[in-house]
Amino acid sequence: MTRVALRHRLAERGVDRQLWLLVPGLACVLALFVYPFAYGIGLSFQPAEGGVLGAYRTFFADAYQRDTIATTLGLSLPAAILNVAASVPIAYRMRGRFRGKRLLTTILVVPITLGTVLTAEGLLNYLGPAGWFNRTLMALHVIDEPVRLTNNYWGVFFSLVITGFPFAFLLILSYLSGIDPTLERAAATLGAGRRQRFQRITLPLLAPGLATTFCLTFVLAFSVFPSAVLVGDPAGTTRVISIAAYHAAYEVYDYPLGSAIAVVMGVVELLVVAVVLGLRSLLYTGSTGGKG
Amino acid sequence: MTLVSEKPTSAPARRRLVASPGSWLIWGAVAFFLVNLAGLIAAVVVNSFGSRWFDTWLPSGWTTEWYATAWTEFGLLNVMVVTLEVALLVVGISVLVGVPASYVLARRSFPGRRLVYLLFLLPILMPPITYGIPLATVLYKYGFAGHLTGVVLANLVPSIPFVILTMTPFIEQIDPAIERAARMCGAKTWQIFLRILAPLLVPGILAASILVLVRTVGMFELTFLAAGPDSQTLVVALYYSMSAAGIRAQQSVDAMAVLYTSSMLVLLVTALRFVNPTQLVARVKEDPD
Amino acid sequence: MTGFDELRLDGVRRRFGARDALAGLSLTIRRGEFIALLGPSGCGKSTALNCLAGLLPLSEGSIWQDGARLDTLPPEKRGFGMVFQSYALFPHLSVRKNIAFGLQMRRLPRDEVRRRTEEAISLVRLEEHAKKLPGQLSGGQQQRVAIARAVVLEPSLVLMDEPLSNLDAKLRLEMRTEIRRLHQTLGLTTVYVTHDQEEALSLADRLVVLRDGRVEQIGTPEDLHERPANRHVADFMGYRNLLPMKVKAVHGPVVAVEGSGLTLEGTPVGQVSPGDDVVAGIRPEDLHQGGDGVPVTVEVVEYQGRELAVEARTPSGVAVHLRAATRPAPGDQITVTAAPSRVLVFPA
C-alpha cells in the first residue's frame, strides 16, 4: 500500500521506471568523465613535495609554465574572434538559396575532416619557405625573400583558422537559417533598408547564436595541441598549455603537476566560456521564429 | 515618398548574388580562403607522388613508391584495422547508450533534468586534453590503457554526449501523440520503442552514427593519450611519423597523410549523402524555404 | 497620408521555374477600397500580395501608382503596410518597440514616434501589454500588434496575408469586424488575401477570385454570390450542389436539364445548346423541400441552428445538399424543388 503510494508520488514528480533508460549514459559519463576528472583534481593536490597546493605553486611560480596560459589565450582568442567575425558577413550573404550552395558548404566541411595533423603537414609544405605560397608571392614580386609563416605563431594561427573557420561558418549559417525570413520582410515593408534590417532585426536575433558559436570555436582553438607542436614553435612562442600538461604528465611523469595543469586549463577555458555565456544571458534568447 | 518613373523593362528577376562592392569583398575572401585551402591539400598530395622536390614549383619526377614505403614501414594495414575497429565499437556503444538517454531527455521532465543535461554537455565543452590526461592516468591505473579497450573507452567520453545532444532535438520533433496513439492501441513501452520509435529514429541514428564515426577517426588527443603501440589509430600514427620526420622521408609521411585524407573524404562523402553539412558541426534544422 | 488615387496592376506575372504561380493579373485599386484576393491554397493569391509588397520581383508586367512605376522599388520604399500570416512580430522587441519600429525607420522626431505609437496601441486596445514581448501574448493580441504595426505608418495601402487563419472561430469573427472598422475609421486602402469565402464576402468591396494563378472573376460580393462566372467560382461561393447534367432544351432564358437522376430548369451562364454536357450549380439554401419536385432519399440530417442541413441521394445515387425547416428522418423519401433563377447552368 505505502509502496504503491510512494511510487505514485514519485510518478507525479516525473520519476518512474522509464528513467532507467538514462542510467547507462549517466554511468558512462560518471565513470569515464566525472570520476577521472575528480581523480585528477585529487591527484593535483597530492604532489610529491610542496604540500597540498604544491603542484599549482610549481606551475604558477615558473614563468615558463605560467606564460603558457597567456600564449594559449593569445592564439585562441584572436583565432576564435576572427573565425566568428569573418563568418557573419559571409553567412549573411549566403543565407538564402542559390545554385551551388550545397557544394560550397560541402567544400567548407573538408577542412573539418582534414584534422589537425594533415593541416599541419599541408601548412608546412604549402606555406614553407619553398612552398607554393611564398613562390607565388615572389613570382609576383610582392616579396623578395620567403616570409616565414611556419614553425612560429602564424603557422599555428593559420591552422586554427583553417579548422575553425568552416566550423564557425556552418554553425552561424544554420543559426541564420533558423531566423524566420518573414521578419526581415516585415521590417522591409516598415521602411527599413538593408543595413537597418541587419542591424536591428537579424543581428540581435543572431547574437545568442554568435555567443554559442564563439564558445565552441574558442574551445576548439583553446585545446590546440598537435598543430602547436607540428607547425608551431613548441619550445617557445607556441608553447601552449596543453603541451605543458602533456610534457609534465608523459615526459616528466609528474602526474600531480600534469593534472594540476589540466585543471588550470579547464578553469581558464570555463572562465572565458562563462563570461561569454553570461553576456549572452543579457540578450534576447527566445524563439527566433524559425521552424527549427 | 519618392517614386521613380521608368520605362517598362522586365523587372530584375534575381537580385541575390548581384555584385556590390561588399559582396565582391566577401566573395573575394571566400575565394582566397578556398584557393589557399586547395593549395594546402594539393601540396601534400603532390609531395606524396613526387620523387624529389626541392626548391622548384613541381617535383622533378613522379612515383608511387612512397605509398608502398608508408604501407610497409608504418604497418598501415594494422593501423587501418585498428582505426576501423575503434570507430565501429565507439559508434555502436555510443548509439546503444546514448539513444535511450536522449529519449528520456527529450520526452520527460524530472527533478535534476538540467543537471543531467549539463553533465552530458560538459565533455563536449571541455578541451579533450583537460580530461584526457586524468582519464589516461585512471585507465593506466586499471590496466585499460595501451590496448584497444582504453582507446574505445576514452573515445566514448565525447561520443556518448554527442549522440545524446544530436538525438535529443531529433526525438523532440517527433510528435509525442504518435507514442500516445501506440499506447492507446495497447503497445507496451518496449513495443513502442521497437515498433514505432525505432523506425522513426533510423535517419537520426544514421546521421549521428556517421558524425560520431567522422569525429572518432579524426580524434587525436584522446586516442594519443590512451593508445599503446598496437592500438594507434591512423591519425595518431600519422602524428608519430610526422614528429619523427627527421628519420622518415617526408614524402612517405605525406603519402600516409593522403591515405588518411582520402579515407576521411570517403567517410565525408558518405556522410553528406545522409546529413546536411551544418549537421557535421551542430544539429540546427535548416529552414525549408 | 501619402495616398494615391489609383494603383494599377498591369499583367503582373510571376514564374517559379517553369510554373506560373501568377499568370497575368490586371487590376485597378481605387483609394479607400477593400479588395479581397480569394482562392484555394496554391492559387497564387499570396504570390500576388508579395509582388505588390515588393517582396517578390515580377517576372513580367508592371505596377503603377498614379502614373509612377512602382514595381522597380524595393519594399521599404513603397510605403505600404503589411500584416503577415505568421504575424512576423520581432520576437526580441516589446509590443511598443515593434509598433514604433517603422516610425523610427522613417526617422520621425522622438515625440511624434511616441505619440503615434501610443495612439496605435490604444487603437488596438493593448495598453496593458505594451511592455510585453510578443511571445508572452495570446494569438489575438499578437494579431492586433501586427495590425497596429502596419497601420501606424498610415500607409497608402495595407496588405493582409490571411491574417485571421491562426485564430479560433470566435476570435476570428471579432477580429474581422475589427479589421473592417479600422479600414473605415482610418480611411485605409486594403488588399486582403484569404481562402475563406465568407470572410472575403463580408469584408471586401470587391473580390478577385484566383485559381491556378489565373483570375476567374473580379466583382462585388453580390456579383460573385449571385452570378458566379463559372463552376469553379460557384464551387468556391457555396454552390455546394454541382450536378453533372445534360441540356434537354433551351427556352429563351431558361434551359431544361436532366441527369444525376433529376430533371430541373435553370438559368444558363454562357452559351449552352441542347445535348451539351453541363454542370448545374445550386446552393443548399435554394433547394427546397416539398412541392411538386424530384424525389430523393434522406441520408444525413445535421442541426444548424435555425435550420437543418440535409444530405439526400437521388435515385441515380448522386448526393444533393439542401436545407429543411422540419426534421426528416434518415431513409425518408422527400421531394425537392428549386426556382429556375436559382439554378445556374455552366458549360462543363
Side-chain angles (χ1 to χ4, degrees):
Chain A
M1 188 66 200
T2 49
R3 266 188 48 200
V4 175
L6 179 66
R7 189 187 294 171
H8 202 86
R9 276 220 306 281
L10 283 174
E12 253 173 21
R13 301 198 52 196
V15 179
D16 62 21
R17 283 184 310 182
Q18 245 186 26
L19 293 195
W20 282 103
L21 293 174
L22 212 53
V23 169
L26 267 182
C28 284
V29 171
L30 287 176
L32 295 171
F33 179 73
V34 178
Y35 167 66
F37 214 89
Y39 178 82
I41 293 177
L43 206 60
S44 73
F45 289 119
Q46 300 162 25
E49 50 192 281
V52 176
L53 292 175
Y56 292 94
R57 215 172 286 136
T58 314
F59 176 77
F60 283 106
D62 183 356
Y64 185 59
Q65 301 277 38
R66 188 177 60 218
D67 289 349
T68 55
I69 297 179
T71 307
T72 315
L73 288 177
L75 265 170
S76 53
L77 280 178
I81 291 171
L82 175 75
N83 287 339
V84 173
S87 301
V88 174
I90 299 176
Y92 186 68
R93 214 147 275 267
M94 287 173 48
R95 73 200 184 290
R97 271 184 167 182
F98 59 89
R99 220 178 308 145
K101 176 174 175 173
R102 196 171 166 101
L103 180 72
L104 194 58
T105 42
T106 305
I107 291 174
L108 281 169
V109 172
V110 172
I112 296 177
T113 59
L114 291 182
T116 37
V117 182
L118 182 111
T119 313
E121 184 69 28
L123 281 173
L124 287 179
N125 283 344
Y126 177 71
L127 290 182
W132 285 338
F133 187 77
N134 269 316
R135 286 185 161 278
T136 311
L137 287 189
M138 285 199 288
L140 294 172
H141 298 290
V142 181
I143 49 172
D144 294 327
E145 50 187 84
V147 194
R148 210 183 120 146
L149 294 169
T150 52
N151 296 105
N152 59 9
Y153 179 89
W154 291 110
V156 185
F157 187 81
F158 290 136
S159 108
L160 290 180
V161 171
I162 285 172
T163 40
F165 167 73
F167 182 85
F169 171 79
L170 291 174
L171 256 180
I172 288 175
L173 188 63
S174 60
Y175 276 115
L176 267 175
S177 322
I179 297 176
D180 185 354
T182 48
L183 292 178
E184 271 205 49
R185 291 197 215 153
T189 62
L190 292 168
R194 244 165 203 288
R195 217 190 139 88
Q196 287 166 315
R197 292 201 291 264
F198 178 72
Q199 274 179 5
R200 308 211 22 179
I201 306 299
T202 310
L203 196 58
L205 290 173
L206 183 63
L210 283 185
T212 310
T213 310
F214 176 83
C215 283
L216 293 175
T217 322
F218 171 74
V219 171
L220 212 67
F222 191 78
S223 45
V224 52
F225 176 54
S227 58
V229 177
L230 300 175
V231 267
D233 168 20
T237 50
T238 70
R239 188 179 144 85
V240 291
I241 192 161
S242 30
I243 297 182
Y246 177 78
H247 176 77
Y250 290 96
E251 282 164 15
V252 188
Y253 297 108
D254 184 347
Y255 290 116
L257 182 60
S259 303
I261 299 176
V263 169
V264 170
M265 183 174 172
V267 168
V268 171
E269 188 240 24
L270 287 182
L271 269 181
V272 174
V273 170
V275 167
V276 175
L277 292 185
L279 289 176
R280 177 183 183 267
S281 68
L282 300 178
L283 303 166
Y284 170 83
T285 53
S287 145
T288 50
K291 289 155 197 152
Chain B
M1 189 161 122
T2 52
L3 287 173
V4 192
S5 196
E6 280 179 37
K7 62 178 193 303
T9 52
S10 73
R14 278 168 196 250
R15 249 185 309 177
R16 210 162 285 235
L17 297 187
V18 169
S20 69
S23 56
W24 274 113
L25 205 70
I26 284 164
W27 289 113
V30 173
F32 183 75
F33 180 82
L34 291 180
V35 164
N36 283 303
L37 182 66
L40 191 148
I41 297 171
V44 178
V45 175
V46 168
N47 198 20
S48 74
F49 285 107
S51 55
R52 227 182 82 89
W53 190 10
F54 187 71
D55 212 24
T56 46
W57 281 97
L58 285 172
S60 49
W62 303 96
T63 170
T64 53
E65 116 196 30
W66 301 116
Y67 285 85
T69 318
W71 190 264
T72 50
E73 221 173 295
F74 301 121
L76 276 189
L77 183 65
N78 185 38
V79 170
M80 293 281 208
V81 170
V82 169
T83 309
L84 204 65
E85 278 174 350
V86 168
L88 290 180
L89 278 171
V90 168
V91 167
I93 297 174
S94 30
V95 165
L96 279 180
V97 170
V99 172
S102 45
Y103 174 77
V104 175
L105 283 174
R107 283 286 190 257
R108 306 293 307 273
S109 74
F110 52 90
R113 184 179 177 278
R114 288 173 67 94
L115 186 74
V116 171
Y117 204 80
L118 183 72
L119 208 59
F120 284 132
L121 194 67
L122 264 182
I124 291 187
L125 220 56
M126 298 288 275
I129 285 273
T130 55
Y131 59 87
I133 288 179
L135 175 64
T137 318
V138 168
L139 289 176
Y140 273 110
K141 192 172 124 190
Y142 292 103
F144 289 126
H147 315 292
L148 204 66
T149 326
V151 176
V152 171
L153 285 177
N155 274 296
L156 283 179
V157 178
S159 299
I160 292 173
F162 188 79
V163 169
I164 292 176
L165 293 186
T166 46
M167 285 307 287
T168 305
F170 188 84
I171 296 176
E172 271 171 353
Q173 51 96 33
I174 295 176
D175 187 355
I178 292 174
E179 287 151 54
R180 281 188 231 129
R183 209 171 279 279
M184 294 311 289
C185 296
K188 296 193 170 60
T189 301
W190 64 270
Q191 287 171 316
I192 294 177
F193 247 100
L194 229 57
R195 314 247 329 237
I196 308 295
L197 280 175
L200 288 173
L201 290 182
V202 164
I205 292 179
L206 207 62
S209 310
I210 290 167
L211 299 183
V212 169
L213 196 70
V214 171
R215 286 170 71 104
T216 306
V217 173
M219 169 54 77
F220 170 76
E221 285 92 339
L222 292 173
T223 314
F224 176 66
L225 291 173
D230 296 330
S231 52
Q232 290 176 7
T233 60
L234 196 49
V235 63
V236 174
L238 187 53
Y239 174 84
Y240 277 123
S241 68
M242 208 182 148
S243 48
I247 314 161
R248 318 267 188 220
Q250 208 204 348
Q251 287 95 324
S252 79
V253 176
D254 281 347
M256 191 162 161
V258 170
L259 285 179
Y260 170 77
T261 314
S262 354
S263 52
M264 278 303 261
L265 225 58
V266 171
L267 272 183
L268 173 77
V269 170
T270 326
L272 288 173
R273 290 183 67 94
F274 298 102
V275 298
N276 191 302
T278 47
Q279 287 178 339
L280 286 174
V281 294
R283 196 183 171 92
V284 186
K285 261 188 292 172
E286 272 210 75
D287 199 272
D289 291 317
Chain C
M1 180 181 308
T2 53
F4 54 77
D5 291 324
E6 199 178 85
L7 189 75
R8 190 158 52 83
L9 282 78
D10 197 0
V12 169
R13 177 189 283 260
R14 171 68 205 191
R15 268 189 222 100
F16 288 113
R19 200 176 63 85
D20 265 331
L22 186 65
L25 169 64
S26 296
L27 173 72
T28 304
I29 302 164
R30 285 179 292 274
R31 179 179 195 148
E33 253 191 325
F34 197 120
I35 303 261
L37 301 182
L38 179 64
S41 61
C43 71
K45 55 192 193 298
S46 290
T47 307
L49 200 72
N50 283 328
C51 286
L52 201 48
L55 297 170
L56 268 183
L58 312 185
S59 305
E60 250 173 57
S62 53
I63 303 173
W64 300 83
Q65 176 173 294
D66 289 340
R69 183 146 189 198
L70 200 66
D71 54 288
T72 47
L73 288 180
E76 62 267 26
K77 297 251 171 73
R78 295 192 186 189
F80 296 167
M82 182 154 175
V83 178
F84 292 80
Q85 183 174 14
S86 60
Y87 313 144
L89 299 179
F90 306 130
H92 58 305
L93 301 179
S94 68
V95 168
R96 181 174 283 123
K97 285 183 179 157
N98 257 287
I99 296 175
F101 184 85
L103 297 169
Q104 288 167 346
M105 288 301 113
R106 303 216 165 165
R107 302 184 191 288
L108 296 177
R110 192 168 295 180
D111 286 345
E112 193 184 345
V113 171
R114 192 176 310 136
R115 180 179 57 75
R116 282 171 66 175
T117 306
E118 293 309 319
E119 273 174 22
I121 290 174
S122 58
L123 189 69
V124 293
R125 301 190 305 278
L126 282 173
E127 292 92 339
E128 289 160 39
H129 306 288
K131 284 196 183 124
K132 290 188 185 167
L133 291 176
Q136 299 166 303
L137 301 179
S138 70
Q141 290 164 340
Q142 292 188 18
Q143 168 69 86
R144 296 216 291 270
V145 178
I147 293 175
R149 188 178 69 178
V151 301
V152 72
L153 300 170
E154 300 177 0
S156 56
L157 180 67
V158 180
L159 307 167
M160 297 198 182
D161 188 1
E162 308 229 13
L164 303 182
S165 60
N166 288 333
L167 301 179
D168 64 50
K170 182 171 171 292
L171 212 50
R172 194 157 19 189
L173 279 182
E174 279 173 26
M175 286 310 299
R176 200 163 90 186
T177 317
E178 197 64 42
I179 286 173
R180 183 71 212 190
R181 194 204 321 279
L182 283 173
H183 172 80
Q184 283 164 2
T185 52
L186 300 178
L188 301 170
T189 311
T190 308
V191 175
Y192 187 103
V193 160
T194 181
H195 63 267
D196 182 337
Q197 47 104 3
E198 199 189 315
E199 209 172 283
L201 288 173
S202 65
L203 279 169
D205 300 321
R206 277 199 299 152
L207 284 79
V208 179
V209 182
L210 291 164
R211 186 174 152 266
D212 290 339
R214 275 164 220 289
V215 177
E216 296 277 312
Q217 191 172 0
I218 300 181
T220 63
E222 293 77 15
D223 283 343
L224 271 84
H225 196 257
E226 302 301 327
R227 291 178 292 280
N230 57 43
R231 50 171 298 197
H232 301 296
V233 179
D235 186 18
F236 218 74
M237 283 295 138
Y239 287 72
R240 200 166 168 205
N241 298 305
L242 289 169
L243 310 165
M245 299 184 118
K246 243 185 183 26
V247 176
K248 209 164 69 176
V250 182
H251 311 293
V254 176
V255 288
V257 289
E258 69 176 356
S260 304
L262 298 170
T263 313
L264 291 168
E265 288 194 323
T267 313
V269 178
Q271 199 62 48
V272 294
S273 41
D276 281 1
D277 283 325
V278 290
V279 172
I282 315 164
R283 292 170 181 282
E285 51 269 37
D286 292 330
L287 198 57
H288 298 292
Q289 185 189 349
D292 182 22
V294 198
V296 291
T297 312
V298 174
E299 284 206 332
V300 182
V301 183
E302 294 168 29
Y303 176 69
Q304 287 195 338
R306 283 204 328 237
E307 45 181 18
L308 297 152
V310 177
E311 182 178 314
R313 223 159 263 283
T314 65
S316 68
V318 175
V320 292
H321 301 269
L322 61 139
R323 298 279 183 270
T326 57
R327 182 183 279 265
D332 281 2
Q333 286 274 336
I334 56 170
T335 52
V336 292
T337 53
S341 64
R342 298 295 195 166
V343 178
L344 301 182
V345 177
F346 303 104

